[in-house]
């Protein structure tokens, strides 16, 4: 028993130190203000263990793109709670380009970097949420550009989970919205 | 089949209680999603190690006390052994818990993974980190650093603090537990039980456990390094089965107030209690300072090593050195009710033997009670084959062993090699450290 404990302790410290050193010492080129939109890394201190997940989090899509971040590589601004400067030139006030959130349009946004999804006849842009998803990012990626309603309802999504959706809302299905 | 179940019911209960949360975990989300790809698989393993680790930690806390129920059904020595094994196992699982969960972050960047290990504003996570770190310190103290038992015991009580931090982490972190009522209720119940037992044992038992008060009537050295202590009850006398032991705290000048376990050598029918104690360390050395009139606080009785607990009346008792003590109590309780006993009393040199006259007299009177003294310096170590010869075979006999751990282990191994079934060999081992 002592031997198993000893080996486990050794492995634990070896891996932990390796990660800490590699992650902090050798990764200086990562922008220091990276906020990872993950409920397990940032939260408000007043967490309570209700029937729904206890930690309230305002998911913050990464404000800046930096090399090496897998989930937000393009400078394309995504929908965010705070207004972001757009990189495209401001369109002339009278002619605002519009797109229709129909199936064809949604299907164009079918990658992890640009992931639009239909859930219950509403359309969401989930690229910045992928790595925060408790069920993993892979399963969301499966439905990028598609209708994920069936999967969403089949798998347990609590009221808390549903409360996160509005932050990623683009528009209703077939609604005309401003082009991004 | 039924008897195998009964013998292992303790282990079975522990395994089942520890795995139930995993079964519930597997029901919350279809398994093909849990093991969708490598990252999800690693995350799932991280979740499982957390669940089972916390369940076992709770169970280990439940096994930290001296509950009569546990002693009566399993024997206190086995309860402690299970506490050790379950505790160590939970520690190992909990060490791997954050490592597997970190894989999810490594996928994005090593920096994220590093940040996962350091504290942040997420207090649920902070408590998890704190709890594990403190647990590592205490476990290193337990497994790798040798120091005086009383100091180790003081530090080990901090496991309750570790457990409280772990509970905070378990119930405030965003996880399957926070998302599923049934899982949360189960884990919370186990944890609440564990906390109650552990907290009581660590901090309250000294105030509430029943203690018997005894007065020392005689404390003399009867052989080199061997003391006989006779005590009279101040109020109520302890009732016990021959072969049981007590925890005792002596209150005397120059004697540490530590509490230690000793087998009772006197017969249960007597009011007075007798202990035979060999000088083996700091504490037992101090006992030379005991005087008539000193007080003692006794807690007990504990233990399942008693000839009365076995149906088979054909028994072989083997006492090594001061391990003769429980057999003295048993011999003094024999009442001609059909027991056929061969008592082997093994010592290194003749000078170490005690009460041989009394035992020989008993043997002279009761033809079913034979005493075979064995002096290792003359005949070499007592062996199972010698016992086989002298007792006319081992078939249909139950064997009791008491003595130094090496002595007991060696003989048990030899008996097993001679074909004696595990269930027919009875011993009590105290690895309190």
């Amino acid at each position: 028993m002592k031997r198993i404990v000893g080996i486990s302790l050794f492995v634990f410290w070896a891996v932990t130190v390796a990660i800490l050193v590699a992650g902090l010492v050798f990764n200086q080129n990562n922008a220091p203000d990276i906020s990872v939109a993950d409920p397990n890394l940032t939260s408000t201190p007043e967490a309570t263990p209700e029937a729904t997940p206890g930690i309230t989090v305002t998911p913050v899509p990464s404000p800046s793109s930096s090399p090496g971040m897998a989930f937000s590589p393009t400078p394309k601004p995504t929908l965010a709670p705070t207004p972001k400067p757009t990189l495209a030139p401001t369109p002339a006030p009278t002619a605002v380009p519009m797109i229709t959130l129909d199936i064809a349009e949604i299907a164009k946004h079918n990658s992890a970097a640009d992931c639009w999804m239909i859930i219950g006849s509403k359309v969401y842009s989930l690229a910045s949420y992928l790595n925060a998803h408790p069920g993993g990012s892979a399963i969301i990626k499966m439905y990028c550009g598609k209708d994920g309603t069936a999967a969403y309802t089949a798998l347990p999504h609590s009221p808390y989970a549903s409360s996160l959706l509005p932050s990623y809302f683009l528009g209703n299905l077939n609604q005309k919205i401003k082009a991004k | 089949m039924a008897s195998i179940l009964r013998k292992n019911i303790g282990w079975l209960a522990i395994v089942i209680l520890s795995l139930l949360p995993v079964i519930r975990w597997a029901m919350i989300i279809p398994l093909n999603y849990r093991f969708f790809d490598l990252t999800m698989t690693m995350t799932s393993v991280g979740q499982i190690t957390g669940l089972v680790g916390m369940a076992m930690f709770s169970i280990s806390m439940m096994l930290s006390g001296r509950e009569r129920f546990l002693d009566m059904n399993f024997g206190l020595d086995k309860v402690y052994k299970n506490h050790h094994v379950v505790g160590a196992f939970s520690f190992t699982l909990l060490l791997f818990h954050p490592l597997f969960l970190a894989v999810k972050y490594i996928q994005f960047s090593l920096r994220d993974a590093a940040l996962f290990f350091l504290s942040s504003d997420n207090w649920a996570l902070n408590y998890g980190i704190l709890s594990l770190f403190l647990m590592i310190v205490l476990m290193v103290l337990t497994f790798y650093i040798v120091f005086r038992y009383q100091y180790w015991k003081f530090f080990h009580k901090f496991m309750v603090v570790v457990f409280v931090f772990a509970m905070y982490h378990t119930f405030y972190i965003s996880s399957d537990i926070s998302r599923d009522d049934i899982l949360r209720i189960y884990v919370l119940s186990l944890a609440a039980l564990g906390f109650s037992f552990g907290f009581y044992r660590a901090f309250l038992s000294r105030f509430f456990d029943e203690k018997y008060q005894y007065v020392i009537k005689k404390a003399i050295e009867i052989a080199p390094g061997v003391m006989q202590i006779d005590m009279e009850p101040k109020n109520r006398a302890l009732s016990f089965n021959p072969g049981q032991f007590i925890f005792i705290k002596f209150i005397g000048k120059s004697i540490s107030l530590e509490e230690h376990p000793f087998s009772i050598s006197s017969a249960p029918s007597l009011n007075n209690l007798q202990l035979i104690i060999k000088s083996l360390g700091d504490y037992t050395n101090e006992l030379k300072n005991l005087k008539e009139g000193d007080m003692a606080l006794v807690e007990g009785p504990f233990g399942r090593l008693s000839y009365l607990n076995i149906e088979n009346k054909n028994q072989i008792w083997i006492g090594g050195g001061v391990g003769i003590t429980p057999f003295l109590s048993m011999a003094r309780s024999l009442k001609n009710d059909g027991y056929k006993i061969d008592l082997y009393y093994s010592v290194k040199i003749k000078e170490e033997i005690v009460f041989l006259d009394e035992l020989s007299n008993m043997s002279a009177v009761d033809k079913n009670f034979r005493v075979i003294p064995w002096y290792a310096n003359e005949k070499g170590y007592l062996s199972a084959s010698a016992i086989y010869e002298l007792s006319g075979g081992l078939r249909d006999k139950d064997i009791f062993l008491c003595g130094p751990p090496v002595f007991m282990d060696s003989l048990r191994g030899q008996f097993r090699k001679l074909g004696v079934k595990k269930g027919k060999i009875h011993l009590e081992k105290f690895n309190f450290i």
Side-chain angles (χ1 to χ4, degrees), chain A residues 37-39 128-141 152 155-157 161 164, chain B residues 40 43 104 179:
Chain A
D38 176 70
S128 53
Y129 179 71
L130 285 181
N131 67 314
H133 184 233
S137 59
I139 197 171
I140 299 189
K141 286 184 212 162
Y152 187 87
L155 294 159
H157 286 97
L164 297 178
Chain B
M40 273 313 288
T43 304
K104 182 162 82 168
R179 291 188 283 262

Side-chain angles (χ1 to χ4, degrees), chain B residues 6 22 25 34 52 61 111 141 196-197 203 211 251 253 259 261 289 291 297 338 366 373 380:
Chain B
R6 216 198 157 273
V22 182
W25 173 92
R34 295 274 198 194
V52 181
M61 295 281 283
R111 189 183 160 79
L141 281 176
S196 318
F197 282 113
F203 303 114
K211 298 252 206 295
I251 303 165
K253 199 152 166 245
E259 184 191 51
N289 298 322
K291 298 182 322 293
L297 288 173
D366 182 354

Side-chain angles (χ1 to χ4, degrees), chain A residues 141-161:
Chain A
K141 286 184 212 162
M142 268 174 46
Y143 295 95
C144 289
K146 306 198 187 100
D147 186 340
T149 311
Y152 187 87
T153 46
L155 294 159
H157 286 97
S158 59
Y160 169 73

Side-chain angles (χ1 to χ4, degrees), chain B residues 155-181:
Chain B
F155 284 117
H156 202 60
K157 292 191 192 200
F158 283 94
M159 270 303 186
V160 177
V161 176
V162 172
F163 192 73
V164 170
F165 286 172
M167 280 176 77
Y168 187 101
H169 167 74
T170 303
F171 296 108
Y172 282 84
I173 199 95
S174 177
S175 69
D176 289 290
I177 289 180
S178 60
R179 291 188 283 262
D180 183 71
D181 291 342

